[in-house]
Amino acid sequence: MSETSPAVGLGQGISLINLPLPFHSPRSVNAYVVEGSDGLLLIDCGVDSPECRQALFGGLDQLGYSPPAIDTLVVSHLHPDHVGMSSHLTSTYGMRLVMHQRAAKLVDRYNDSAGFAQRTHDLAVRHAVPLSSFDDFVDLGPRPDWMPNIEQPDQLVEEGDAIAVGSDRELEVIFTPGHEPAHICLRDSRTGRLFAGDHILPRITPLVAYDELFPDVLGEFLESLRKIEKLGLTTTYPAHGDVLPQGSARADQIQLHHERRLANMRDVVKPLGTSAWEVMEQVFRPNLSPMDQRLALRETVAHLEHLVLTGRLRSDEENQRLSYLG
Ligand SMILES: [Zn+2]
Ligand SMILES: [Zn+2]
């Protein structure tokens, strides 16, 4: 997809607009426009940066759509590359914001930068981030301009609900927590195809990060992958990268990746106890940036907690520090 042509029609009233992100990876996010005979719906909206706004509005213009004609914005999950621009779109164009019902209690947390800094600090203490890395690990810097506060959704949905796209088309909500606790996929009534958000992606496996409010995010993610695998999907629209020709097969591959990673981490944990930080250092590549260390540590803890909750490891807490025992 060339940078001068962010929008592309995919047929059957579905269009993709590729939006640039201020990250090293992923470098862009796919917003999708779904058209009914008398309604327009947008799935995901990118961060709130000038570049992202320009790409979204330029893409809509290229497709022949005007922003006020979009009545509904559905956000697949509460990560800034999917929900970041939502307040601008709802307040300026009156779009109705739709998210999974779990989002109701997560929006305030998304807006709470001080709370995130505190949770990152507690995570570093609990999982034994060494002194040499500690200050960089907990230094989150200022909240970026492209991540303004977001509003509560206008409509909360749950598994099995239908979101109308005008009067002749709807998107079925498939609840797929794991990558993020309020993640949903959407199945199109006209084509049977799935908008997968970040639940299944080509080439990379979605991050599954430990979450203080949800004890077994990896267990939820694996269950959500089995759900998608059973649907027997072919053409599937992910939020990053190219259209997936075999959605359900990709869900199966991602399950295998996590089964291998679980086995790998279990082997690393010693009988007398190993910290999550030590497991991370052995499983992930060396010399990660502080940002990548934060993500890798949360991914490691998600796996270790799943091993504990399924009886394959034990954990022991002493002086606010957690050890995992093989
Ligand atoms: Zn995400
Ligand atoms: Zn994403």
Side-chain angles (χ1 to χ4, degrees):
M1 211 168 302
S2 83
E3 289 196 11
T4 53
S5 176
V8 55
L10 301 171
Q12 306 258 29
I14 298 169
S15 306
L16 183 165
I17 307 176
N18 190 248
L19 307 174
L21 295 174
F23 313 139
H24 180 62
S25 174
R27 298 181 72 86
S28 67
V29 63
N30 299 329
Y32 292 94
V33 185
V34 185
E35 185 178 351
S37 61
D38 53 355
L40 270 183
L41 178 147
L42 177 66
I43 302 172
D44 290 336
C45 60
V47 301
D48 199 359
S49 68
E51 296 79 13
C52 212
R53 284 191 189 190
Q54 193 176 23
L56 179 63
F57 299 129
L60 288 171
D61 188 53
Q62 191 186 325
L63 294 165
Y65 299 134
S66 71
I70 298 172
D71 38 75
T72 306
L73 166 63
V74 188
V75 168
S76 63
H77 63 293
L78 272 90
H79 283 164
D81 49 332
H82 301 260
V83 72
M85 207 200 296
S86 61
S87 288
H88 175 65
L89 297 176
T90 55
S91 63
T92 310
Y93 302 106
M95 294 181 199
R96 185 173 61 104
L97 180 62
V98 181
M99 287 191 235
H100 185 263
Q101 60 177 8
R102 268 190 181 173
K105 70 170 178 181
L106 297 174
V107 164
D108 286 348
R109 189 175 74 170
Y110 178 97
N111 293 338
D112 179 12
S113 296
F116 184 51
Q118 183 63 50
R119 288 190 290 124
T120 303
H121 182 273
D122 294 348
L123 185 85
V125 171
R126 191 167 171 77
H127 297 292
V129 174
L131 277 180
S132 56
S133 301
F134 196 92
D135 287 350
D136 288 337
F137 187 92
V138 299
D139 179 12
L140 302 178
R143 188 179 178 99
D145 290 342
W146 44 257
M147 192 181 166
N149 285 357
I150 57 170
E151 303 292 330
Q152 284 286 346
D154 300 296
Q155 183 187 351
L156 297 171
V157 292
E158 57 186 305
E159 172 82 12
D161 283 353
I163 302 169
V165 189
S167 55
D168 65 341
R169 189 173 199 169
E170 55 190 30
L171 300 178
E172 179 195 349
V173 174
I174 301 176
F175 182 40
T176 48
H179 169 67
E180 193 278 331
H183 194 290
I184 53 174
C185 294
L186 300 161
R187 189 158 56 168
D188 176 23
S189 63
R190 186 172 299 175
T191 62
R193 292 177 181 177
L194 191 81
F195 297 95
D198 281 1
H199 182 50
I200 51 173
L201 298 171
R203 295 195 308 281
I204 57 170
T205 57
L207 175 77
V208 181
Y210 170 72
D211 189 300
E212 288 80 355
L213 293 177
F214 300 90
D216 189 13
V217 286
L218 183 63
E220 288 196 334
F221 185 61
L222 294 172
E223 196 182 321
S224 299
L225 287 172
R226 287 192 286 272
K227 200 187 270 188
I228 295 306
E229 195 190 340
K230 280 187 197 145
L231 294 177
L233 298 168
T234 53
T235 305
T236 299
Y237 301 118
H240 303 282
D242 296 333
V243 173
L244 283 158
Q246 299 291 339
S248 287
R250 183 61 185 148
D252 183 45
Q253 284 174 355
I254 296 171
Q255 284 178 71
L256 288 174
H257 161 83
H258 287 285
E259 276 159 27
R260 278 196 295 269
R261 179 155 274 178
L262 284 166
N264 197 358
M265 288 194 185
R266 198 177 166 203
D267 287 346
V268 167
V269 172
K270 298 188 181 83
L272 291 178
T274 308
S275 71
W277 178 270
E278 290 168 324
V279 175
M280 182 203 87
E281 284 195 312
Q282 294 199 46
V283 171
F284 287 85
R285 66 177 171 80
N287 303 317
L288 295 176
S289 68
M291 160 90 170
D292 285 340
Q293 283 178 345
R294 289 191 282 273
L295 299 177
L297 185 61
R298 281 192 181 271
E299 174 107 11
T300 301
V301 176
H303 284 75
L304 293 171
E305 288 296 310
H306 182 68
L307 288 168
V308 170
L309 289 163
T310 53
R312 288 175 277 179
L313 284 180
R314 289 180 300 120
S315 64
D316 186 34
E317 186 174 344
E318 200 173 321
N319 298 328
Q320 292 181 299
R321 292 205 167 192
L322 205 64
S323 275
Y324 293 92
L325 295 83

